[in-house]
Amino acid sequence: MPRSRPRRSERRSLTLVASPSEQAPETTPVVNPRPRSTARQPNVIIATGLYVLRLGILGAGLGVLAGTVLTTFAPTRFLSPEALASKKMSLSATAEDSRPIKPQHLVSNLNQWLQEPKPVASAAPTASSVPELTAPQRSMPAPSQEMTALTQKLQALAKPLQPKIKPYAYFIDVDNGQYVNLAGTQTLPAASTIKLPIVIAFFEDVDAGKVMLQEQLPLSKDVIGSGSGDMQYQVGKVKSYSALETVTKMIVISDNTATNMLIKRLGGKQALNQRFQAWGLTQTVINNPLPDLEGTNKTSPQDLVKALIKIHQGDTLSLKSRDRLLNIMQGTKTRTLLPQGLETDAKIAHKTGDIGTLLGDAGIIDMPNGKRYIGAVMATRPYNDPAARTLIQNISRTVYQHFKGTTPPPPTVASKPVSKPAPLVAKPKSLP
């Protein structure tokens, strides 16, 4: 029996017959009884939502991956101080001597090696206190014992020139506080050595955010100072100098105009004098702008040494500012005084002063064997007498050779094994 055609096929073959008045004479078109619907346009809101959802899923995946990597290589970095202290205490309580050494344990040990003994504070440190990798803060080394033999040598150098030329000196060994005081507490005209405490005040304000190194300081007629320096000749040609260039010129070429610009920028002489007193520089005062050929600005060799110790200690300035300042002072152009008494491999960061009737130099000296000492020498003289320069050179040479001869040899390595590994950074000696 033949298979009948499906009903659907029969429906597709149906034709619509028009009325007699509308029927075409020859053929009748076939019309699909179920026309296809047109494609709908996508909803913009739904499409946007799907796109954001995809981005969220991708971001979550990346976040999980990044978190896994960070916690793998720095597992304690994102812990709070309390959680970190708790974690360290639990590790120390349960760890065995044979456990693997982790990077954070090495950093903790290094911090302990670098940490210097500190005075007992009024309140005990909390368990959450974590030592930082910073330079040890040290108080000024108190003069412990006068080096009598060296003092006698300096007196012998000065005796043939007195009373025409009289020296004033103060030196101190920063390792043990041994000192030489050759009338070093005498108040004297400061000349350009007054720029030494000024530059310390400048970098203090830089660290405090009160002064920016790139800020422009105006070069106006009220700050012009004659004598040393070339900025005085730029009035009308240059409107301003950056603070960094100004302070560099003040030290390197002893520019008097640059000094007056900085005194003005730091609040004036009264504000600076108050700071000097707060530092313990009881004999240092600014009375007049530079060049001050009359010698009204005052200081003493001991005060200059105190100022240099503030740089050496690193507790007044940040490490960055201290390094920048020492680099500037090492570039001082006048090298006819203290540097002439040093050996070739020695380094000195210093500042000189000269007003004709007084000559002086103060600096931090680093010897090739690692010893550091700080000193200042000033000499009163007949106007521009060269014998004062020679005397300062001889004093510098005598002090240098004395420290060279008395420096103890480096400690020998112990033959027996030590229980604690050697520190990665040499631990500096505590100052008395």
Side-chain angles (χ1 to χ4, degrees):
M1 183 176 178
R3 187 177 180 180
S4 60
R5 297 173 60 187
R7 187 172 297 176
R8 181 177 297 178
S9 300
E10 293 177 359
R11 286 201 300 266
R12 290 179 180 174
S13 63
L14 293 179
T15 59
L16 296 178
V17 180
S19 61
S21 60
E22 298 176 353
Q23 187 172 4
E26 296 180 359
T27 61
T28 302
V30 179
V31 179
N32 191 341
R34 300 178 68 180
R36 297 180 181 177
S37 59
T38 58
R40 294 183 179 180
Q41 295 293 332
N43 191 303
V44 176
I45 297 177
I46 296 176
T48 303
L50 291 175
Y51 183 74
V52 172
L53 180 61
R54 293 189 186 100
L55 289 180
I57 295 173
L58 177 61
L62 292 177
V64 171
L65 179 61
T68 303
V69 173
L70 290 176
T71 53
T72 299
F73 291 98
T76 61
R77 181 175 180 182
F78 300 98
L79 293 178
S80 64
E82 293 79 7
L84 182 60
S86 176
K87 185 176 182 64
K88 287 183 177 180
M89 291 176 64
S90 62
L91 286 175
S92 61
T94 59
E96 298 294 337
D97 292 339
S98 60
R99 67 182 177 179
I101 299 176
K102 297 183 179 180
Q104 60 267 32
H105 299 159
L106 291 176
V107 174
S108 177
N109 292 336
L110 179 60
N111 290 341
Q112 294 176 6
W113 290 328
L114 291 177
Q115 191 176 19
E116 287 286 327
K118 297 181 179 180
V120 178
S122 57
T126 60
S128 60
S129 300
V130 179
E132 298 180 355
L133 286 171
T134 57
Q137 303 298 310
R138 293 169 284 187
S139 59
M140 172 181 171
S144 59
Q145 181 181 359
E146 184 173 4
M147 293 180 281
T148 307
L150 181 55
T151 302
Q152 292 174 353
K153 292 179 183 179
L154 301 186
Q155 291 173 342
L157 289 174
K159 187 175 181 179
L161 302 175
Q162 292 179 345
K164 185 175 66 170
I165 295 175
K166 188 172 182 180
Y168 306 83
Y170 196 97
F171 289 88
I172 191 166
D173 185 336
V174 300
D175 293 325
N176 52 36
Q178 293 184 356
Y179 68 96
V180 172
N181 184 4
L182 186 65
T185 59
Q186 177 67 39
T187 301
L188 299 166
S192 285
T193 61
I194 197 66
K195 299 167 184 177
L196 185 56
I198 293 174
V199 74
I200 298 174
F202 171 83
F203 279 104
E204 270 194 347
D205 282 0
V206 170
D207 289 337
K210 298 178 181 178
V211 177
M212 305 299 292
L213 294 177
Q214 70 272 20
E215 73 174 84
Q216 295 295 313
L217 304 183
L219 178 62
S220 53
K221 293 183 178 180
D222 62 311
V223 296
I224 299 302
S226 60
S228 59
D230 56 9
M231 294 175 68
Q232 58 183 306
Y233 306 114
Q234 304 303 317
V235 178
K237 301 177 184 178
V238 178
K239 294 183 179 180
S240 62
Y241 286 90
S242 70
L244 179 58
E245 184 176 4
T246 303
V247 74
T248 302
K249 284 180 174 289
M250 180 182 73
I251 298 298
V252 174
I253 61 174
S254 198
D255 197 299
N256 291 329
T257 300
T259 307
N260 296 335
M261 291 170 64
L262 291 176
I263 293 175
K264 181 179 180 181
R265 177 62 182 86
L266 297 175
K269 60 183 182 180
Q270 295 300 333
L272 286 171
N273 289 337
Q274 291 177 2
R275 294 172 73 170
F276 300 161
Q277 290 291 320
W279 296 345
L281 309 184
T282 57
Q283 297 165 287
T284 302
V285 61
I286 302 174
N287 290 312
N288 285 295
L290 276 290
D292 186 38
L293 298 177
E294 294 77 17
T296 63
N297 299 330
K298 302 294 184 179
T299 191
S300 69
Q302 187 183 56
D303 267 12
L304 294 175
V305 168
K306 289 180 180 180
L308 290 168
I309 287 177
K310 291 180 69 64
I311 301 174
H312 157 76
Q313 288 176 177
D315 57 353
T316 297
L317 304 178
S318 68
L319 296 180
K320 180 170 62 175
S321 291
R322 184 187 68 175
D323 291 345
R324 189 186 296 273
L325 174 53
L326 289 174
N327 287 335
I328 291 174
M329 293 177 62
Q330 287 176 359
T332 298
K333 295 296 184 182
T334 302
R335 303 186 64 85
T336 57
L337 300 175
L338 289 180
Q340 293 299 311
L342 311 180
E343 293 180 348
T344 306
D345 294 336
K347 294 182 179 180
I348 180 171
H350 66 125
K351 183 68 196 80
T352 59
D354 182 3
I355 55 172
T357 57
L358 179 134
L359 195 62
D361 198 357
I364 301 173
I365 297 94
D366 286 320
M367 302 177 67
N369 59 10
K371 173 169 282 294
R372 168 176 285 186
Y373 64 94
I374 298 174
V377 183
M378 308 179 81
T380 56
R381 61 176 180 172
Y383 192 82
N384 283 347
D385 191 327
R389 178 180 296 106
T390 303
L391 177 60
I392 292 177
Q393 294 173 357
N394 291 334
I395 289 175
S396 175
R397 183 176 298 105
T398 302
V399 173
Y400 183 90
Q401 293 300 324
H402 180 87
F403 279 122
K404 181 180 178 181
T406 59
T407 300
T412 57
V413 180
S415 57
K416 61 180 180 179
V418 293
S419 58
K420 178 180 174 181
L424 300 179
V425 179
K427 184 177 179 181
K429 298 179 180 179
S430 299
L431 295 181

